[in-house]
Amino acid sequence: MILDYYCTDHEIVCCRAGISHEHRLCQNVLPLELASNDVRKSALFNDVMEDMTHIITTLNALDNNRQSNLQSMEESKSAITKQIRAVKSKILKQIDDLERELLTNLSSLQRKHEIDINKQKQEISQVLVNVIENKNEMDFLSDHGSKNQLFIFFRQQVTNIHSAEVKIQQIVSDSQEFDITFDEKKDGKLESLGSLSEYFQQCQVQYKPKKFQQAQIKAEPMKNNQGFEKDTVLKLNTNVVKSLFSVSVTDDNKLLITNIKSSAPKLYVYRDCKDYETEITFSSAPYCVAVIPGTNRAVITLPYAMSIQFINTTTMTKSDKVNMGFECNGITAGRDRIYVGGTGGTIKALDTNGKILKTIRQRSEDIYIMVYNDLHDQLIVRCFNKLLCVKVDGTLVYSKNVSGVSGVILDRQRNIYFAGFETHNIQRISSDEENCEEMLNKDNDIDYPYGMCFNNDFTKLFVINNYRKSVCVYKCK
């Protein structure tokens, strides 16, 4: 039968027979014509179209990621092959050096013993010549000499023989039989030139399914803020010298404000974004604070300690520091990533437990403030007199000249708001990056603005103002 009805209780399209058998007790069965009315303006239409685009984009990104992984492994293989050959050459050179050293020592030992032995041979030859001469003379006298001559000669030879014996005994006592041997190094077996390690990390391509809406519920487009109206100035419960830097809001509506003054390195906490609750003191000046969405945790940069530190926003207690290895200023967080930026344009990507996943080198400018755009998977980065938009792989999307170093935030529609420190204004770039307009200026009491944030329902804007001395609150129209 024709499917011409829709049961909103079960969210299923059915036929007339199905209604009488399976949906007779359902109270919200609509004709398909009515249920599908304005379907092209419905959230279902938007969600399906967005999800298909999202899936295609994700699959293309995954395919590119896999191809990039294959290419990087090939590059790694080539680099490692060169390393192995370099290690081999180094070891062979060491073996050649050891061989030359041993052969040099062998020649030196041989020459030393040859000198001693040749000296002894000369002494032996001298004694032997004298004895042979005496022997020849004795033979001649024995045949031709008189008895008197023979007797006198024999008496002389007694002394000569005695001297020869003494000399021979001396030579024998001084003589040693020299030899040189080679003891092979027993543990000289070369086991390995090194080792290979596999490194695994989560694929950088992420996929987050979108939730389908029912066709009969029309998707109401979110409207941009039309403007702002000054509401109040936050009453700061402190008399210390202030140099406020960053402001953020937790999921349970607590306002977090950092003070970078060295005499008071603190994080101030205001419940319901208005009433002072407590403060946390740090070992060095805390610069930027970012709340990890969907959790009771925030994370703060401590640039002079080259570290970040996690905070429990329910108990307002500190966790251990995580060393970044560089002077880190800006920080921003998504649901599964934390990005930390600082000197030399360095950006490090971390998981939400603080484990460093990769380092992104984007430019040479120092990074002071940054925010993550989850819609486009981009980072909006604030450098001195520059606003940069970069992909999470470090690729520059665009660069814009701005005034000084001040805050940058996103609204619900992912429009970009950035402050001009010396121009005393706040401007907005549309999410499609087509338009830029001024939203607040000196007429609205904007004076040397710095850190900014919206509250959770985007009805209020908090601005660190007056050269980092106060926090102004503006209502969103």
Side-chain angles (χ1 to χ4, degrees):
M1 298 183 70
I2 298 174
L3 299 173
D4 52 3
Y5 287 90
Y6 181 75
C7 176
T8 60
D9 292 342
H10 293 92
E11 298 183 0
I12 190 171
V13 178
C14 54
C15 63
R16 188 180 302 275
I19 293 174
S20 59
H21 286 88
E22 299 177 13
H23 302 278
R24 63 180 182 276
L25 299 179
C26 298
Q27 300 297 315
N28 297 299
V29 177
L30 302 174
L32 192 58
E33 291 81 0
L34 180 60
S36 63
N37 189 32
D38 292 330
V39 65
R40 289 180 175 81
K41 299 179 181 179
S42 69
L44 178 62
F45 181 87
N46 291 341
D47 285 345
V48 170
M49 294 300 290
E50 287 180 7
D51 275 4
M52 285 183 176
T53 302
H54 184 47
I55 288 172
I56 292 170
T57 301
T58 302
L59 289 173
N60 285 331
L62 279 170
D63 185 69
N64 292 337
N65 177 271
R66 298 296 82 201
Q67 183 61 36
S68 175
N69 200 179
L70 288 173
Q71 183 177 350
S72 67
M73 285 194 300
E74 190 64 31
E75 292 171 352
S76 296
K77 178 184 176 183
S78 176
I80 291 171
T81 301
K82 291 180 180 178
Q83 287 179 306
I84 292 172
R85 288 172 179 167
V87 171
K88 174 187 173 182
S89 298
K90 184 177 180 181
I91 292 175
L92 289 176
K93 183 179 181 302
Q94 291 176 345
I95 292 172
D96 289 339
D97 292 341
L98 291 172
E99 180 187 22
R100 281 193 294 272
E101 182 181 356
L102 281 171
L103 292 176
T104 300
N105 291 340
L106 176 62
S107 298
S108 177
L109 288 173
Q110 183 182 10
R111 284 195 301 272
K112 173 187 172 184
H113 296 311
E114 279 179 352
I115 291 171
D116 292 337
I117 291 173
N118 287 329
K119 182 179 179 182
Q120 290 171 343
K121 284 186 68 177
Q122 289 178 357
E123 294 176 349
I124 292 169
S125 295
Q126 185 63 45
V127 174
L128 183 60
V129 167
N130 292 336
V131 171
I132 290 174
E133 287 178 353
N134 290 333
K135 174 69 168 55
N136 291 336
E137 188 174 355
M138 183 185 70
D139 290 338
F140 178 79
L141 290 175
S142 178
D143 293 334
H144 306 287
S146 64
K147 294 180 180 179
N148 290 343
Q149 288 174 332
L150 193 58
F151 177 80
I152 294 171
F153 180 79
F154 282 162
R155 296 306 302 174
Q156 291 174 344
Q157 291 310 306
V158 170
T159 302
N160 292 338
I161 291 172
H162 177 71
S163 297
E165 287 176 343
V166 170
K167 189 63 176 177
I168 291 170
Q169 287 177 350
Q170 179 189 343
I171 293 173
V172 170
S173 64
D174 293 339
S175 297
Q176 292 179 327
E177 293 186 1
F178 300 108
D179 196 8
I180 302 172
T181 62
F182 174 66
D183 295 327
E184 182 181 354
K185 190 175 178 61
K186 300 303 181 183
D187 57 347
K189 183 179 179 181
L190 185 63
E191 297 289 344
S192 172
L193 295 182
S195 61
L196 298 174
S197 299
E198 293 178 280
Y199 175 72
F200 301 93
Q201 68 175 14
Q202 186 64 36
C203 177
Q204 297 301 307
V205 179
Q206 302 293 318
Y207 178 69
K208 299 177 182 177
K210 298 180 179 294
K211 181 180 179 181
F212 289 131
Q213 302 289 330
Q214 292 181 359
Q216 63 270 21
I217 301 176
K218 293 182 181 180
E220 294 293 336
M222 293 182 290
K223 296 181 180 179
N224 278 331
N225 289 326
Q226 300 303 307
F228 298 90
E229 177 184 351
K230 189 172 181 182
D231 182 18
T232 185
V233 176
L234 189 69
K235 184 178 179 181
L236 300 176
N237 189 32
T238 177
N239 294 320
V240 301
V241 178
K242 298 178 289 295
S243 184
L244 308 179
F245 194 90
S246 174
V247 59
S248 187
V249 176
T250 66
D251 284 0
D252 57 352
N253 213 34
K254 292 179 182 177
L255 198 66
L256 308 179
I257 307 171
T258 60
N259 185 15
I260 64 172
K261 202 68 180 176
S262 59
S263 58
K266 296 179 181 292
L267 175 74
Y268 302 118
V269 183
Y270 292 81
R271 64 179 175 276
D272 300 324
C273 292
K274 61 180 181 178
D275 299 319
Y276 175 82
E277 179 177 303
T278 187
E279 60 188 46
I280 303 174
T281 303
F282 293 87
S283 59
S284 63
Y287 269 53
C288 287
V289 56
V291 174
I292 302 175
T295 72
N296 64 340
R297 300 166 71 222
V299 60
I300 282 183
T301 55
L302 304 171
Y304 299 129
M306 295 188 179
S307 303
I308 61 172
Q309 192 159 18
F310 288 89
I311 296 170
N312 185 309
T313 57
T314 302
T315 60
M316 286 301 160
T317 54
K318 297 180 292 186
S319 300
D320 294 336
K321 296 177 185 176
V322 179
N323 186 276
M324 290 289 101
F326 72 111
E327 194 171 301
C328 48
N329 304 307
I331 192 164
T332 183
R335 291 190 176 273
D336 56 359
R337 289 288 185 276
I338 298 171
Y339 296 95
V340 183
T343 54
T346 300
I347 300 174
K348 291 194 175 183
L350 296 74
D351 65 16
T352 52
N353 293 317
K355 179 183 177 182
I356 298 175
L357 302 177
K358 66 176 180 177
T359 299
I360 304 165
R361 302 278 183 182
Q362 56 89 21
R363 292 173 70 91
S364 60
E365 294 96 335
D366 293 347
I367 295 172
Y368 296 95
I369 296 174
M370 57 198 300
V371 65
Y372 174 59
N373 186 337
D374 57 347
L375 181 63
H376 300 297
D377 201 25
Q378 296 172 342
L379 295 169
I380 312 302
V381 175
R382 196 67 188 264
C383 303
F384 184 71
N385 288 339
K386 289 283 186 182
L387 179 74
L388 308 177
C389 176
V390 298
K391 297 180 181 179
V392 294
D393 63 359
T395 304
L396 179 67
V397 179
Y398 66 82
S399 173
K400 181 177 179 63
N401 293 327
V402 295
S403 173
V405 175
S406 289
V408 57
I409 55 173
L410 304 175
D411 64 11
R412 196 195 303 271
Q413 292 82 15
R414 298 305 184 262
N415 299 310
I416 301 168
Y417 292 73
F418 65 94
F421 188 68
E422 295 180 348
T423 54
H424 312 288
N425 64 352
I426 295 174
Q427 300 181 65
R428 178 174 69 190
I429 300 175
S430 60
S431 59
D432 58 9
E433 303 163 6
E434 293 291 330
N435 301 305
C436 182
E437 58 183 323
E438 186 179 74
M439 303 302 295
L440 290 164
N441 54 37
K442 223 168 184 182
D443 293 338
N444 310 107
D445 296 332
I446 295 296
D447 183 39
Y448 292 105
Y450 217 78
M452 304 183 297
C453 75
F454 285 104
N455 62 350
N456 289 325
D457 58 6
F458 293 89
T459 57
K460 289 185 178 181
L461 172 67
F462 298 87
V463 181
I464 293 177
N465 207 19
N466 300 315
Y467 218 102
R468 304 181 187 167
K469 298 297 187 295
S470 63
V471 179
C472 293
V473 185
Y474 293 85
K475 289 181 180 178
C476 304
K477 294 180 182 179

